[in-house]
Amino acid sequence: MHRPSLLLSLLTLLTLLTAAPLPAIGYRPLPHLRPNSSDLRFGDSKKYEGSSDFVHLRYHMGPVLTGSITVHTIWYGQWQKSQKKIIREFIGSFSDVSAKHPSVAGWWDTVRLYTDQTGANISRTVRLGEQKNDRFYSHGKSLTRLSIQSVIKSAVTAKTKPLPINPSNGLYLLLTSDDVYVEDFCGQVCGFHYFTFPSIVGYTLPFAWVGNSAKLCPGICAYPFAVPEYMQGLKPLKSPNGDVGVDGMISVIGHEVAELATNPLVNAWYAGQDPVAPVEIADLCEGIYGTGGGGSYMGQLLNGKDGATYNMNGIRRRYLVQWLWNHVVSYCTGPNALDQ
């Protein structure tokens, strides 16, 4: 666990003041970033974890995922078996209530607090669905936001073992390997979610993209297991699963899946006046991973005997996952909170 120095705080403040606005529905896990919305004003924190009476997170009457959720995965590019296993076990941990406290399933309990207009809660059940390998880069090694939808179309219309079509409770997770560049990757986002256009894919399917930043920008998208060049003198933390790029992806995947469950068609739970650029339940807690988190401080984390840093347990592994906004108590919460 590391509390940043005064110099680090000044550097991160300078970066924040000079950074370009984040694009819609994107995420990068640097701890100093804050949502860019005129409707959000963070006052003095009651519990330090982003708490504010001025955050207006509202329900806009759109659907949320109340039925059993199935995550269909597209592995784009070259992936090692060990890397796939880390991510698969993370997704499988969402519903594993037997995992040691603090658990990924305990983290998902915050997502489950959100309801649709009938009062039905988001499903407790999240399972790994079908998987599709695209190891030969069918759409090249440089993807745009629209060509990502074409990759998904290829996966659901493939002649052999196509992914199932499940618009109501299916999530489509496109994961790109460390040699693939995606539009706005590294410079502005590490992942984003949206829904496919029928004109491209043939269906409206909620999807998310997350990239492996190990070669392109680990200091941006795999923080704190790698640090940006401007944070000279700050040592990276040891990743819990021995893979900096994949361990960095884990929190981004959690961020996007939580937002897909609560706002799959961008008309359900979000803050701000503009549905094109909504501020969602994970955006409100960017950079917060434990009690006391906020600004450039991630909060109280856990340290394993092997020196690895994490904040929750999965089926057989440990993970570092960002907290989520709890609209019932109006602050960011996570299973590793010291007051729970």
Side-chain angles (χ1 to χ4, degrees), residues 22 27-30 33 178 180-191 209 211-222:
L22 297 179
Y27 168 60
R28 54 188 291 187
L30 283 176
L33 293 177
D178 59 13
V180 176
Y181 174 75
V182 174
E183 182 181 358
D184 296 326
F185 191 21
C186 297
Q188 297 183 21
V189 297
C190 303
W209 157 77
N212 185 337
S213 66
K215 292 181 180 178
L216 296 172
C217 57
I220 296 175
C221 293

Side-chain angles (χ1 to χ4, degrees), residues 56-58 60 263 266-275 278-280:
H56 303 297
L57 185 74
R58 301 185 181 94
H60 298 266
N263 198 27
V266 201
N267 60 359
W269 287 94
Y270 64 87
Q273 301 297 332
D274 185 1
V279 179
E280 300 165 292

Side-chain angles (χ1 to χ4, degrees), residues 198-227:
S199 59
I200 297 177
V201 180
Y203 307 89
T204 300
L205 305 174
F207 77 91
W209 157 77
V210 179
N212 185 337
S213 66
K215 292 181 180 178
L216 296 172
C217 57
I220 296 175
C221 293
Y223 182 94
F225 306 125
V227 297

Side-chain angles (χ1 to χ4, degrees), residues 6 36 65 89 96 118 126 158 173 194 199 226 268 271 289 292 312 335:
L6 177 60
N36 180 20
L65 301 186
E89 290 186 359
D96 183 15
T118 71
V126 181
L173 182 60
Y194 207 59
S199 59
Y289 295 77
M312 58 191 74

